[in-house]
Coordinates of all heavy atoms in Angstrom, one line a residue:
L1086 N -117.3 -53.1 -36.4 CA -117.1 -53.3 -35.0 C -117.6 -54.7 -34.6 O -118.7 -55.1 -34.9 CB -118.0 -52.2 -34.2 CG -118.1 -52.4 -32.7 CD1 -116.7 -52.1 -32.1 CD2 -119.1 -51.4 -32.1
F1087 N -116.7 -55.4 -34.1 CA -117.0 -56.8 -33.6 C -117.2 -56.7 -32.1 O -116.3 -56.2 -31.4 CB -115.9 -57.8 -34.0 CG -115.8 -58.0 -35.5 CD1 -114.9 -57.2 -36.2 CD2 -116.6 -58.9 -36.1 CE1 -114.7 -57.4 -37.6 CE2 -116.4 -59.0 -37.5 CZ -115.5 -58.3 -38.2
T1088 N -118.3 -57.2 -31.6 CA -118.5 -57.2 -30.2 C -118.8 -58.6 -29.7 O -119.6 -59.3 -30.3 CB -119.7 -56.2 -29.8 OG1 -119.9 -56.3 -28.4 CG2 -120.9 -56.5 -30.6
L1089 N -118.1 -59.0 -28.7 CA -118.3 -60.3 -28.1 C -119.3 -60.3 -27.0 O -119.8 -61.4 -26.6 CB -116.9 -60.8 -27.6 CG -115.8 -60.9 -28.6 CD1 -114.5 -61.2 -28.0 CD2 -116.2 -61.9 -29.7
D1090 N -119.6 -59.2 -26.4 CA -120.5 -59.2 -25.2 C -121.7 -58.2 -25.3 O -122.6 -58.4 -24.6 CB -119.7 -58.8 -24.0 CG -118.8 -59.9 -23.5 OD1 -119.2 -61.1 -23.6 OD2 -117.7 -59.6 -23.1
T1091 N -121.6 -57.2 -26.2 CA -122.6 -56.1 -26.2 C -123.5 -56.2 -27.4 O -123.0 -56.4 -28.5 CB -121.9 -54.8 -26.1 OG1 -120.9 -54.8 -25.1 CG2 -122.9 -53.6 -25.9
A1092 N -124.8 -56.1 -27.2 CA -125.7 -56.2 -28.3 C -125.6 -55.0 -29.2 O -125.2 -53.9 -28.7 CB -127.1 -56.3 -27.8
T1093 N -125.9 -55.1 -30.5 CA -125.9 -54.0 -31.4 C -126.7 -52.8 -30.9 O -126.3 -51.7 -31.0 CB -126.4 -54.5 -32.8 OG1 -125.6 -55.5 -33.3 CG2 -126.4 -53.3 -33.8
R1094 N -127.9 -53.1 -30.4 CA -128.7 -52.0 -29.9 C -128.0 -51.2 -28.8 O -128.1 -49.9 -28.8 CB -130.0 -52.7 -29.3 CG -131.0 -51.7 -28.7 CD -132.2 -52.5 -28.2 NE -132.9 -51.8 -27.2 CZ -132.7 -51.9 -25.9 NH1 -131.8 -52.7 -25.4 NH2 -133.4 -51.2 -25.1
I1095 N -127.3 -51.8 -27.9 CA -126.6 -51.1 -26.9 C -125.4 -50.3 -27.5 O -125.2 -49.1 -27.1 CB -126.1 -52.1 -25.8 CG1 -127.2 -52.8 -25.2 CG2 -125.2 -51.3 -24.8 CD1 -128.3 -52.0 -24.5
I1096 N -124.7 -50.8 -28.4 CA -123.6 -50.1 -29.1 C -124.2 -48.8 -29.8 O -123.6 -47.8 -29.6 CB -122.9 -51.0 -30.2 CG1 -122.3 -52.2 -29.6 CG2 -122.0 -50.2 -31.0 CD1 -121.0 -51.9 -28.8
L1097 N -125.3 -49.0 -30.5 CA -125.9 -47.8 -31.1 C -126.4 -46.8 -30.1 O -126.2 -45.6 -30.4 CB -127.0 -48.2 -32.1 CG -126.5 -49.0 -33.3 CD1 -127.7 -49.5 -34.1 CD2 -125.5 -48.2 -34.1
I1098 N -126.9 -47.2 -29.0 CA -127.3 -46.3 -28.0 C -126.1 -45.5 -27.4 O -126.2 -44.3 -27.2 CB -128.1 -47.0 -26.8 CG1 -129.5 -47.4 -27.3 CG2 -128.1 -46.2 -25.6 CD1 -130.2 -48.3 -26.3
R1099 N -125.0 -46.2 -27.3 CA -123.8 -45.5 -26.8 C -123.3 -44.5 -27.8 O -122.9 -43.4 -27.5 CB -122.7 -46.6 -26.5 CG -123.0 -47.4 -25.3 CD -121.9 -48.4 -25.0 NE -122.2 -49.2 -23.9 CZ -121.6 -50.3 -23.6 NH1 -120.6 -50.7 -24.4 NH2 -121.9 -51.0 -22.5
F1100 N -123.3 -44.9 -29.1 CA -122.9 -43.9 -30.2 C -123.8 -42.7 -30.1 O -123.3 -41.6 -30.2 CB -123.0 -44.6 -31.6 CG -121.8 -45.2 -32.0 CD1 -121.7 -46.6 -32.2 CD2 -120.7 -44.5 -32.4 CE1 -120.6 -47.3 -32.6 CE2 -119.5 -45.1 -32.8 CZ -119.5 -46.5 -33.0
I1101 N -125.1 -42.9 -30.1 CA -126.0 -41.7 -30.1 C -125.9 -40.9 -28.9 O -125.8 -39.7 -29.0 CB -127.5 -42.2 -30.2 CG1 -127.7 -42.8 -31.6 CG2 -128.5 -41.1 -30.0 CD1 -129.0 -43.6 -31.8
G1102 N -125.7 -41.5 -27.7 CA -125.5 -40.8 -26.5 C -124.2 -39.9 -26.5 O -124.2 -38.8 -26.2
R1103 N -123.2 -40.5 -27.1 CA -121.9 -39.8 -27.1 C -121.9 -38.7 -28.1 O -121.5 -37.6 -27.9 CB -120.8 -40.8 -27.5 CG -119.4 -40.2 -27.5 CD -119.0 -39.8 -26.1 NE -117.7 -39.2 -26.2 CZ -117.3 -38.2 -25.4 NH1 -118.1 -37.6 -24.6 NH2 -116.1 -37.7 -25.6
M1104 N -122.4 -39.0 -29.3 CA -122.5 -38.0 -30.4 C -123.4 -36.9 -30.1 O -123.2 -35.7 -30.5 CB -122.8 -38.6 -31.7 CG -121.8 -39.6 -32.2 SD -120.2 -39.0 -32.5 CE -120.4 -37.9 -33.8
G1105 N -124.5 -37.2 -29.3 CA -125.5 -36.1 -29.0 C -125.3 -35.5 -27.6 O -126.1 -34.7 -27.1
D1106 N -124.2 -36.0 -26.9 CA -123.9 -35.5 -25.6 C -125.1 -35.7 -24.6 O -125.5 -34.7 -24.0 CB -123.4 -34.0 -25.6 CG -122.7 -33.6 -24.3 OD1 -122.1 -34.5 -23.7 OD2 -122.7 -32.5 -24.0
I1107 N -125.6 -36.9 -24.6 CA -126.8 -37.2 -23.8 C -126.5 -38.4 -23.0 O -125.9 -39.4 -23.4 CB -128.0 -37.6 -24.7 CG1 -128.3 -36.4 -25.7 CG2 -129.2 -37.9 -23.9 CD1 -129.2 -36.8 -26.8
D1108 N -126.9 -38.3 -21.7 CA -126.8 -39.5 -20.8 C -127.6 -40.6 -21.4 O -128.8 -40.5 -21.7 CB -127.3 -39.2 -19.5 CG -127.2 -40.3 -18.4 OD1 -126.9 -41.4 -18.8 OD2 -127.3 -40.0 -17.2
T1109 N -126.9 -41.8 -21.7 CA -127.6 -42.9 -22.4 C -128.8 -43.4 -21.6 O -129.7 -44.0 -22.3 CB -126.6 -44.0 -22.7 OG1 -126.0 -44.4 -21.5 CG2 -125.6 -43.6 -23.7
R1110 N -128.9 -43.2 -20.3 CA -130.1 -43.7 -19.6 C -131.3 -42.8 -20.0 O -132.4 -43.3 -20.0 CB -129.8 -43.5 -18.1 CG -128.8 -44.5 -17.6 CD -128.5 -44.3 -16.2 NE -127.7 -43.0 -16.1 CZ -127.1 -42.5 -15.1 NH1 -127.2 -43.2 -13.9 NH2 -126.5 -41.4 -15.1
R1111 N -131.1 -41.6 -20.5 CA -132.2 -40.7 -20.9 C -132.7 -41.1 -22.3 O -133.7 -40.6 -22.7 CB -131.7 -39.3 -20.8 CG -131.5 -38.8 -19.4 CD -131.1 -37.4 -19.3 NE -132.2 -36.6 -19.8 CZ -132.4 -35.4 -19.3 NH1 -131.6 -34.8 -18.5 NH2 -133.4 -34.7 -19.8
L1112 N -131.9 -41.9 -23.0 CA -132.4 -42.3 -24.3 C -133.6 -43.2 -24.3 O -134.4 -43.3 -25.2 CB -131.3 -42.9 -25.1 CG -130.2 -41.9 -25.6 CD1 -129.0 -42.7 -26.2 CD2 -130.8 -40.9 -26.6
L1113 N -133.7 -43.9 -23.2 CA -134.9 -44.8 -23.0 C -136.2 -44.1 -22.9 O -137.2 -44.5 -23.4 CB -134.6 -45.8 -21.9 CG -133.4 -46.7 -22.0 CD1 -133.2 -47.5 -20.7 CD2 -133.5 -47.6 -23.2
I1114 N -136.1 -43.0 -22.1 CA -137.3 -42.1 -22.0 C -136.9 -40.7 -22.1 O -136.6 -40.0 -21.1 CB -138.0 -42.3 -20.6 CG1 -138.3 -43.8 -20.4 CG2 -139.2 -41.5 -20.4 CD1 -138.9 -44.1 -19.0
P1115 N -136.7 -40.2 -23.3 CA -136.2 -38.9 -23.6 C -137.1 -37.8 -23.1 O -138.3 -37.9 -23.1 CB -136.0 -38.8 -25.1 CG -136.4 -40.1 -25.6 CD -137.0 -40.9 -24.6
Q1116 N -136.5 -36.7 -22.6 CA -137.2 -35.5 -22.2 C -137.3 -34.6 -23.4 O -136.6 -34.7 -24.4 CB -136.5 -34.8 -21.0 CG -136.2 -35.7 -19.8 CD -137.5 -36.3 -19.2 OE1 -138.4 -35.5 -19.0 NE2 -137.6 -37.6 -19.0
A1117 N -138.1 -33.6 -23.3 CA -138.3 -32.6 -24.4 C -137.0 -32.0 -24.9 O -136.7 -31.9 -26.1 CB -139.3 -31.5 -24.0
G1118 N -136.1 -31.7 -24.0 CA -134.8 -31.0 -24.3 C -133.8 -32.0 -24.9 O -132.8 -31.5 -25.4
D1119 N -134.0 -33.3 -24.9 CA -133.1 -34.2 -25.4 C -133.2 -34.4 -26.9 O -132.3 -34.9 -27.5 CB -133.3 -35.6 -24.7 CG -133.0 -35.6 -23.2 OD1 -132.2 -34.7 -22.8 OD2 -133.6 -36.4 -22.5
W1120 N -134.3 -34.1 -27.5 CA -134.6 -34.4 -28.9 C -133.6 -33.8 -29.9 O -133.2 -34.4 -30.9 CB -136.0 -34.2 -29.3 CG -136.9 -35.2 -28.7 CD1 -137.7 -35.1 -27.6 CD2 -137.0 -36.6 -29.0 NE1 -138.3 -36.3 -27.3 CE2 -137.9 -37.2 -28.2 CE3 -136.4 -37.4 -30.0 CZ2 -138.2 -38.6 -28.3 CZ3 -136.7 -38.7 -30.1 CH2 -137.6 -39.3 -29.2
D1121 N -133.2 -32.5 -29.6 CA -132.2 -31.9 -30.5 C -130.9 -32.6 -30.5 O -130.4 -32.8 -31.6 CB -132.0 -30.4 -30.0 CG -133.2 -29.5 -30.3 OD1 -134.0 -29.8 -31.2 OD2 -133.2 -28.4 -29.7
G1122 N -130.5 -33.1 -29.4 CA -129.2 -33.9 -29.3 C -129.4 -35.2 -30.0 O -128.5 -35.7 -30.7
I1123 N -130.5 -35.9 -29.8 CA -130.8 -37.2 -30.5 C -130.8 -37.0 -32.0 O -130.1 -37.8 -32.7 CB -132.1 -37.8 -29.9 CG1 -131.9 -38.1 -28.5 CG2 -132.4 -39.0 -30.8 CD1 -133.3 -38.5 -27.8
V1124 N -131.5 -36.0 -32.5 CA -131.6 -35.8 -33.9 C -130.3 -35.5 -34.5 O -129.9 -36.0 -35.6 CB -132.7 -34.7 -34.2 CG1 -132.6 -34.3 -35.7 CG2 -134.1 -35.2 -33.9
S1125 N -129.5 -34.6 -33.8 CA -128.2 -34.3 -34.3 C -127.3 -35.5 -34.3 O -126.5 -35.7 -35.3 CB -127.6 -33.2 -33.3 OG -126.3 -32.9 -33.6
A1126 N -127.3 -36.3 -33.3 CA -126.4 -37.5 -33.3 C -126.8 -38.5 -34.4 O -125.9 -39.0 -35.1 CB -126.5 -38.2 -31.9
V1127 N -128.1 -38.7 -34.5 CA -128.5 -39.7 -35.6 C -128.1 -39.1 -37.0 O -127.7 -39.9 -37.8 CB -130.0 -40.0 -35.5 CG1 -130.5 -40.8 -36.7 CG2 -130.3 -40.8 -34.2
G1128 N -128.3 -37.8 -37.1 CA -127.9 -37.2 -38.4 C -126.4 -37.4 -38.7 O -126.0 -37.6 -39.8
K1129 N -125.6 -37.3 -37.7 CA -124.1 -37.4 -37.8 C -123.7 -38.9 -38.2 O -122.8 -39.1 -39.0 CB -123.4 -37.1 -36.6 CG -123.4 -35.6 -36.3 CD -122.7 -35.3 -34.9 CE -122.8 -33.9 -34.5 NZ -122.3 -33.6 -33.2
I1130 N -124.4 -39.9 -37.6 CA -124.0 -41.2 -37.9 C -124.8 -41.9 -38.9 O -124.5 -43.1 -39.3 CB -124.0 -42.1 -36.5 CG1 -125.4 -42.2 -36.0 CG2 -123.0 -41.5 -35.5 CD1 -125.5 -43.1 -34.8
W1131 N -125.8 -41.3 -39.4 CA -126.7 -42.0 -40.4 C -126.0 -42.5 -41.6 O -126.3 -43.6 -42.0 CB -127.8 -41.0 -40.8 CG -128.8 -41.6 -41.7 CD1 -128.9 -41.5 -43.1 CD2 -129.9 -42.4 -41.3 NE1 -130.0 -42.2 -43.5 CE2 -130.6 -42.7 -42.4 CE3 -130.4 -42.7 -40.0 CZ2 -131.8 -43.5 -42.3 CZ3 -131.6 -43.5 -40.0 CH2 -132.2 -43.9 -41.1
D1132 N -125.1 -41.8 -42.2 CA -124.4 -42.2 -43.4 C -123.1 -42.9 -43.2 O -122.3 -43.2 -44.1 CB -124.2 -41.0 -44.3 CG -125.5 -40.6 -44.9 OD1 -126.4 -41.4 -45.1 OD2 -125.7 -39.3 -45.2
W1133 N -122.7 -43.1 -41.9 CA -121.5 -43.8 -41.6 C -121.5 -45.2 -42.2 O -122.5 -45.9 -42.0 CB -121.2 -43.9 -40.1 CG -120.8 -42.7 -39.4 CD1 -120.6 -41.4 -40.0 CD2 -120.4 -42.6 -38.1 NE1 -120.2 -40.6 -39.0 CE2 -120.1 -41.2 -37.8 CE3 -120.4 -43.5 -37.0 CZ2 -119.7 -40.8 -36.6 CZ3 -120.0 -43.0 -35.8 CH2 -119.7 -41.7 -35.6
P1134 N -120.4 -45.7 -42.8 CA -120.4 -47.1 -43.2 C -120.0 -47.9 -42.0 O -118.9 -48.4 -41.9 CB -119.3 -47.1 -44.3 CG -118.4 -45.9 -43.9 CD -119.3 -44.9 -43.3
L1135 N -121.0 -48.1 -41.1 CA -120.7 -48.8 -39.9 C -121.3 -50.2 -39.9 O -122.5 -50.3 -40.3 CB -121.3 -48.0 -38.7 CG -121.1 -48.6 -37.3 CD1 -119.6 -48.6 -36.9 CD2 -121.9 -47.8 -36.3
Y1136 N -120.5 -51.2 -39.6 CA -121.0 -52.6 -39.6 C -120.7 -53.1 -38.2 O -119.6 -53.1 -37.7 CB -120.2 -53.4 -40.6 CG -120.5 -54.9 -40.6 CD1 -121.6 -55.4 -41.2 CD2 -119.7 -55.8 -39.9 CE1 -121.9 -56.7 -41.2 CE2 -120.0 -57.1 -39.8 CZ -121.1 -57.6 -40.5 OH -121.4 -58.9 -40.4
V1137 N -121.8 -53.5 -37.5 CA -121.7 -54.0 -36.2 C -122.0 -55.5 -36.2 O -123.1 -55.9 -36.6 CB -122.6 -53.3 -35.2 CG1 -122.5 -53.8 -33.8 CG2 -122.3 -51.8 -35.2
Q1138 N -121.1 -56.3 -35.8 CA -121.3 -57.8 -35.7 C -121.4 -58.2 -34.3 O -120.4 -58.1 -33.5 CB -120.1 -58.5 -36.4 CG -120.2 -59.9 -36.4 CD -121.2 -60.5 -37.4 OE1 -121.6 -59.8 -38.3 NE2 -121.6 -61.7 -37.1
D1139 N -122.6 -58.5 -33.8 CA -122.8 -58.8 -32.4 C -122.9 -60.3 -32.1 O -123.2 -60.7 -31.0 CB -123.9 -58.0 -31.8 CG -125.3 -58.4 -32.2 OD1 -125.4 -59.3 -33.1 OD2 -126.2 -57.9 -31.7
N1140 N -122.6 -61.1 -33.1 CA -122.7 -62.6 -32.8 C -121.3 -63.2 -33.0 O -121.3 -64.4 -33.4 CB -123.8 -63.3 -33.6 CG -123.6 -63.1 -35.1 OD1 -122.6 -62.4 -35.5 ND2 -124.4 -63.8 -35.9
T1141 N -120.3 -62.5 -32.8 CA -118.9 -63.0 -32.9 C -118.7 -64.0 -31.8 O -118.9 -63.7 -30.7 CB -117.9 -61.9 -32.8 OG1 -118.2 -60.9 -33.8 CG2 -116.5 -62.4 -33.0
V1142 N -118.3 -65.2 -32.2 CA -118.1 -66.3 -31.3 C -116.8 -66.1 -30.5 O -116.7 -66.3 -29.3 CB -118.1 -67.6 -32.0 CG1 -117.9 -68.8 -31.0 CG2 -119.5 -67.8 -32.7
S1143 N -115.7 -65.8 -31.3 CA -114.4 -65.7 -30.6 C -113.6 -64.7 -31.4 O -113.9 -64.4 -32.6 CB -113.7 -67.0 -30.5 OG -113.4 -67.5 -31.8
I1144 N -112.5 -64.3 -30.8 CA -111.5 -63.4 -31.5 C -111.0 -64.1 -32.8 O -110.8 -63.4 -33.8 CB -110.4 -63.1 -30.6 CG1 -110.9 -62.4 -29.3 CG2 -109.3 -62.3 -31.3 CD1 -110.6 -61.0 -29.1
S1145 N -110.8 -65.3 -32.8 CA -110.3 -66.0 -34.0 C -111.2 -65.9 -35.2 O -110.8 -66.0 -36.4 CB -109.9 -67.5 -33.7 OG -111.1 -68.2 -33.4
D1146 N -112.5 -65.7 -35.0 CA -113.5 -65.6 -36.1 C -113.4 -64.2 -36.8 O -113.8 -64.0 -37.9 CB -114.9 -65.7 -35.6 CG -115.2 -67.1 -35.1 OD1 -114.5 -68.1 -35.5 OD2 -116.1 -67.3 -34.2
I1147 N -112.8 -63.2 -36.1 CA -112.8 -61.9 -36.6 C -112.0 -61.7 -37.9 O -112.5 -61.1 -38.8 CB -112.3 -60.9 -35.5 CG1 -113.4 -60.8 -34.4 CG2 -112.1 -59.5 -36.1 CD1 -112.9 -60.1 -33.2
E1148 N -110.9 -62.4 -38.0 CA -110.1 -62.3 -39.2 C -110.9 -62.9 -40.4 O -110.9 -62.3 -41.5 CB -108.8 -63.1 -39.0 CG -107.9 -63.0 -40.3 CD -106.6 -63.7 -40.1 OE1 -106.4 -64.3 -39.1 OE2 -105.8 -63.5 -41.0
L1149 N -111.5 -64.0 -40.2 CA -112.3 -64.6 -41.3 C -113.5 -63.7 -41.7 O -113.8 -63.5 -42.9 CB -112.8 -66.0 -40.9 CG -111.7 -67.1 -40.7 CD1 -112.4 -68.3 -40.1 CD2 -111.0 -67.3 -42.0
Q1150 N -114.2 -63.2 -40.7 CA -115.3 -62.3 -41.0 C -114.9 -61.0 -41.7 O -115.6 -60.5 -42.6 CB -116.1 -62.0 -39.7 CG -116.8 -63.3 -39.2 CD -117.5 -63.0 -37.8 OE1 -117.7 -61.9 -37.5 NE2 -117.9 -64.1 -37.2
T1151 N -113.8 -60.5 -41.3 CA -113.2 -59.3 -41.9 C -112.9 -59.5 -43.4 O -113.2 -58.7 -44.2 CB -112.0 -58.7 -41.1 OG1 -112.4 -58.5 -39.8 CG2 -111.5 -57.5 -41.7
M1152 N -112.2 -60.7 -43.6 CA -111.9 -61.0 -45.0 C -113.1 -61.2 -45.8 O -113.2 -60.8 -47.0 CB -111.0 -62.2 -45.0 CG -109.6 -62.0 -44.5 SD -108.4 -63.3 -44.6 CE -109.3 -64.8 -44.5
A1153 N -114.2 -61.8 -45.3 CA -115.4 -62.0 -46.0 C -116.1 -60.7 -46.3 O -116.6 -60.5 -47.4 CB -116.4 -62.9 -45.2
L1154 N -116.1 -59.7 -45.4 CA -116.6 -58.4 -45.6 C -115.8 -57.7 -46.8 O -116.4 -57.1 -47.6 CB -116.6 -57.5 -44.4 CG -117.6 -57.9 -43.3 CD1 -117.3 -57.1 -42.0 CD2 -119.0 -57.5 -43.8
A1155 N -114.5 -57.8 -46.7 CA -113.7 -57.2 -47.7 C -113.9 -57.8 -49.1 O -114.0 -57.1 -50.1 CB -112.2 -57.3 -47.4
S1156 N -114.1 -59.1 -49.2 CA -114.4 -59.7 -50.4 C -115.8 -59.4 -51.0 O -116.0 -59.5 -52.2 CB -114.2 -61.2 -50.4 OG -115.2 -61.8 -49.6
D1157 N -116.7 -59.0 -50.1 CA -118.0 -58.5 -50.5 C -118.0 -57.1 -50.9 O -119.1 -56.5 -51.3 CB -119.0 -58.7 -49.4 CG -119.5 -60.2 -49.1 OD1 -119.2 -61.0 -50.0 OD2 -120.0 -60.5 -48.1
G1158 N -116.9 -56.4 -50.9 CA -116.8 -55.1 -51.4 C -116.8 -54.0 -50.3 O -116.8 -52.8 -50.6
C1159 N -116.8 -54.4 -49.1 CA -116.7 -53.4 -48.0 C -115.3 -52.8 -47.9 O -114.4 -53.5 -47.9 CB -117.1 -54.1 -46.6 SG -118.8 -54.6 -46.5
D1160 N -115.3 -51.5 -47.9 CA -114.0 -50.8 -47.7 C -113.8 -50.6 -46.2 O -114.3 -49.8 -45.6 CB -114.1 -49.4 -48.4 CG -112.8 -48.7 -48.4 OD1 -111.8 -49.3 -48.2 OD2 -112.8 -47.4 -48.5
I1161 N -112.9 -51.5 -45.7 CA -112.7 -51.6 -44.3 C -111.5 -50.6 -43.9 O -110.4 -50.8 -44.4 CB -112.4 -53.0 -43.8 CG1 -113.6 -53.9 -44.1 CG2 -112.0 -53.1 -42.3 CD1 -113.4 -55.3 -43.9
G1162 N -111.8 -49.6 -43.1 CA -110.8 -48.7 -42.7 C -110.3 -49.0 -41.3 O -109.2 -48.6 -40.9
L1163 N -111.2 -49.6 -40.5 CA -110.8 -49.8 -39.1 C -111.6 -51.0 -38.6 O -112.8 -51.1 -38.9 CB -111.2 -48.6 -38.2 CG -111.1 -48.7 -36.7 CD1 -109.6 -48.8 -36.3 CD2 -111.7 -47.5 -36.0
V1164 N -111.0 -51.8 -37.8 CA -111.6 -53.0 -37.1 C -111.5 -52.7 -35.6 O -110.4 -52.6 -35.1 CB -111.0 -54.3 -37.5 CG1 -111.6 -55.4 -36.7 CG2 -111.2 -54.6 -39.0
A1165 N -112.6 -52.6 -35.0 CA -112.7 -52.4 -33.5 C -113.3 -53.6 -32.9 O -114.3 -54.1 -33.4 CB -113.4 -51.1 -33.2
I1166 N -112.8 -53.9 -31.7 CA -113.3 -55.1 -31.0 C -113.7 -54.6 -29.6 O -112.9 -54.1 -28.9 CB -112.2 -56.2 -30.9 CG1 -111.7 -56.6 -32.3 CG2 -112.8 -57.4 -30.1 CD1 -110.5 -57.5 -32.3
D1167 N -115.0 -54.9 -29.3 CA -115.5 -54.6 -28.0 C -115.5 -55.9 -27.2 O -116.2 -56.8 -27.5 CB -117.0 -54.1 -28.1 CG -117.7 -54.0 -26.8 OD1 -117.0 -53.6 -25.8 OD2 -118.9 -54.3 -26.7
Y1168 N -114.6 -55.9 -26.2 CA -114.4 -57.1 -25.5 C -114.4 -56.8 -24.0 O -113.4 -56.4 -23.5 CB -113.1 -57.8 -25.9 CG -112.8 -59.1 -25.2 CD1 -113.6 -60.3 -25.5 CD2 -111.9 -59.2 -24.2 CE1 -113.3 -61.5 -24.8 CE2 -111.6 -60.4 -23.5 CZ -112.4 -61.5 -23.9 OH -112.1 -62.7 -23.2
A1169 N -115.5 -56.9 -23.4 CA -115.6 -56.5 -22.0 C -116.3 -57.6 -21.2 O -117.5 -57.6 -20.9 CB -116.4 -55.2 -21.8
R1170 N -115.6 -58.7 -21.0 CA -116.1 -59.9 -20.3 C -116.4 -59.5 -18.8 O -115.6 -58.9 -18.1 CB -115.1 -61.0 -20.3 CG -115.0 -61.7 -21.6 CD -116.0 -62.8 -21.7 NE -115.8 -63.4 -23.0 CZ -116.8 -63.8 -23.7 NH1 -118.0 -63.7 -23.4 NH2 -116.6 -64.4 -24.9
R1171 N -117.6 -59.9 -18.4 CA -118.0 -59.7 -17.0 C -117.6 -60.9 -16.3 O -117.9 -62.0 -16.7 CB -119.5 -59.4 -16.9 CG -119.9 -58.1 -17.5 CD -121.4 -57.9 -17.4 NE -121.8 -56.7 -18.1 CZ -122.1 -56.6 -19.4 NH1 -122.1 -57.7 -20.1 NH2 -122.4 -55.5 -19.9
V1172 N -117.0 -60.7 -15.1 CA -116.6 -61.9 -14.3 C -117.5 -62.1 -13.2 O -118.0 -61.2 -12.6 CB -115.1 -61.6 -13.8 CG1 -114.7 -62.8 -13.0 CG2 -114.2 -61.4 -15.0

């Protein structure tokens, strides 16, 4: 996942919130009932071969970085780009 605007920490919070069906605002100060969802979500994504690059300068860099990852032995199945410029 190449992200031009969102920090890795925020991307992972979104993944955990979505996979655990938890409002991401509650991940900052979880309630007692949230922990089962958090543990379940982290368990699901723990072994994912997920690479998050949050210092991508531009879209043109993505091809070069993807080729570098592939040459390092990463089995790339999907390239996703998070591009949500705030105006």
Side-chain angles (χ1 to χ4, degrees):
L1086 173 65
F1087 293 95
T1088 176
L1089 300 173
D1090 289 322
T1091 309
T1093 300
R1094 179 176 156 271
I1095 301 301
I1096 297 286
L1097 293 176
I1098 285 172
R1099 288 180 183 166
F1100 269 113
I1101 292 169
R1103 183 67 180 142
M1104 297 301 293
D1106 197 27
I1107 302 166
D1108 183 345
T1109 54
R1110 294 173 291 188
R1111 292 182 64 151
L1112 288 173
L1113 299 175
I1114 304 174
Q1116 305 298 314
D1119 296 332
W1120 286 106
D1121 288 339
I1123 293 170
V1124 169
S1125 172
V1127 170
K1129 289 176 186 175
I1130 65 174
W1131 185 261
D1132 291 329
W1133 284 4
L1135 180 65
Y1136 176 80
V1137 179
Q1138 178 74 22
D1139 68 356
N1140 61 354
T1141 304
V1142 177
S1143 68
I1144 299 247
S1145 61
D1146 294 333
I1147 293 172
E1148 182 178 7
L1149 294 174
Q1150 292 177 15
T1151 303
M1152 290 185 331
L1154 286 170
S1156 69
D1157 285 344
C1159 292
D1160 184 21
I1161 298 173
L1163 173 70
V1164 174
I1166 302 169
D1167 171 38
Y1168 182 73
R1170 289 272 182 215
R1171 293 180 184 90
V1172 181

